[in-house]
Amino acid sequence: MEEILCIGCGATIQTTDKAGLGFTPQSALEKGLETGEVYCQRCFRLRHYNEITDVQLTDDDFLKLLHEVGDSDALVVNVIDIFDFNGSVIPGLPRFVSGNDVLLVGNKKDILPKSVKPGKISQWLMERAHEEGLRPVDVVLTSAQNKHAIKEVIDKIEHYRKGRDVYVVGVTNVGKSTLINAIIQEITGDQNVITTSRFPGTTLDKIEIPLDDGSYIYDTPGIIHRHQMAHYLTAKNLKYVSLKRKSSPKPISLILNKLCF
């Protein structure tokens, strides 16, 4: 069968891997071939619902993306899961972004115990980043899901980008795309200015979000981290460690016991 490309992002259309680049249901593909407009599911949802969803990269795509980030004079916004720092670190990122400013965004602030002070978490994230060879210009905590401190994130981005483009990067499952959606909603409000024509993409399914001064915020695909906890747990056990509401400072041994027994 002749290769079919998504007219929204350029990805090769396929109907088997729902998590892969270029996926579209068979029925949607047939309809698209009839109309001459074939979109992958991600571009379709962006086009009709202004919804950005995450995709997974192969190792080759991952290296290509890091080279692109490293070759650009831009602000890099690195989204981290506060509750899984080790699983949130992008391998090789410090080497590729050398010379570019990095803003570290700690996500899931809303489920921190009330007794934990945000300043302590920010300091801890900065220290851990330094251990990994990353030198962030600043750290900001947010909750993409609850849209907490989204305006502060936007203000930080505007302050540090200094007219440059912005690359938002992160591994899968950290809430990067949810954060992007929250930023778009905060910026546009009810004006409904997000249209398909304003979001051209590339073969890596990177989405370009235009800014008023001609620069762009680039939403990049979620990167698979081989050491991320989510890739080693069953769906049943994952629910015990995937926090959805405000946590209490219980010993981690209780969670481990639940998983083991």
Side-chain angles (χ1 to χ4, degrees):
M1 182 177 178
E2 184 180 353
E3 184 178 73
I4 302 172
L5 302 181
C6 170
I7 64 175
C9 68
T12 300
I13 292 294
Q14 50 90 12
T15 59
T16 55
D17 182 7
K18 291 184 178 181
L21 292 172
F23 172 77
T24 190
Q26 182 65 38
S27 58
L29 173 58
E30 293 172 358
K31 183 176 181 180
L33 290 174
E34 292 177 1
T35 61
E37 294 186 350
V38 179
Y39 289 93
C40 68
Q41 188 173 70
R42 189 183 193 221
C43 287
F44 179 86
R45 298 197 66 82
L46 174 63
R47 175 183 173 86
H48 292 282
Y49 305 109
N50 292 333
E51 177 183 306
I52 295 176
T53 55
D54 218 351
V55 294
Q56 296 180 346
L57 289 177
T58 65
D59 287 344
D60 287 342
D61 288 336
F62 163 68
L63 290 175
K64 190 184 299 183
L65 173 61
L66 285 186
H67 276 297
E68 181 177 342
V69 175
D71 291 340
S72 303
D73 179 19
L75 171 67
V76 178
V77 177
N78 188 189
V79 184
I80 294 288
D81 184 340
I82 294 174
F83 291 87
D84 187 16
F85 183 89
N86 289 340
S88 298
V89 175
I90 299 176
L93 184 63
R95 182 173 70 257
F96 284 97
V97 302
S98 178
N100 283 339
D101 292 332
V102 177
L103 174 63
L104 201 63
V105 177
N107 192 27
K108 304 184 182 179
K109 176 185 178 182
D110 59 310
I111 53 178
L112 284 171
K114 291 183 178 180
S115 59
V116 176
K117 296 181 179 180
K120 291 288 186 180
I121 296 297
S122 296
Q123 180 181 352
W124 177 76
L125 287 176
M126 183 69 80
E127 292 173 353
R128 293 303 312 276
H130 284 182
E131 292 173 3
E132 297 293 334
L134 207 57
R135 295 291 184 269
V137 293
D138 205 346
V139 176
V140 58
L141 305 184
T142 187
S143 169
Q145 188 68 39
N146 292 350
K147 299 180 176 59
H148 178 78
I150 295 300
K151 190 176 186 306
E152 183 180 353
V153 173
I154 295 173
D155 290 342
K156 292 280 189 181
I157 290 175
E158 188 59 33
H159 175 73
Y160 288 110
R161 77 181 184 89
K162 299 175 182 176
R164 296 174 294 174
D165 292 333
V166 179
Y167 282 84
V168 183
V169 301
V171 302
T172 55
N173 302 313
V174 298
K176 178 184 63 62
S177 290
T178 304
L179 176 65
I180 285 284
N181 285 326
I183 288 175
I184 291 175
Q185 184 175 346
E186 178 69 28
I187 292 176
T188 63
D190 298 325
Q191 299 176 17
N192 194 28
V193 297
I194 307 171
T195 61
T196 306
S197 62
R198 300 189 69 193
F199 291 90
T202 69
T203 53
L204 283 184
D205 215 14
K206 177 186 67 183
I207 294 175
E208 302 174 357
I209 303 167
L211 300 172
D212 291 339
D213 61 1
S215 302
Y216 289 87
I217 293 180
Y218 293 99
D219 174 44
T220 62
I223 296 166
I224 298 176
H225 195 309
R226 297 293 187 266
H227 301 293
Q228 196 174 32
M229 186 185 303
H231 297 299
Y232 293 91
L233 298 177
T234 63
K236 178 182 178 180
N237 286 335
L238 186 58
K239 68 180 181 180
Y240 295 125
V241 295
S242 298
L243 300 175
K244 300 296 183 183
R245 56 181 182 270
K246 191 172 291 294
S247 61
S248 58
K250 293 181 179 180
I252 192 63
S253 58
L254 295 181
I255 296 178
L256 294 178
N257 287 336
K258 188 68 175 178
L259 289 175
C260 295
F261 304 103

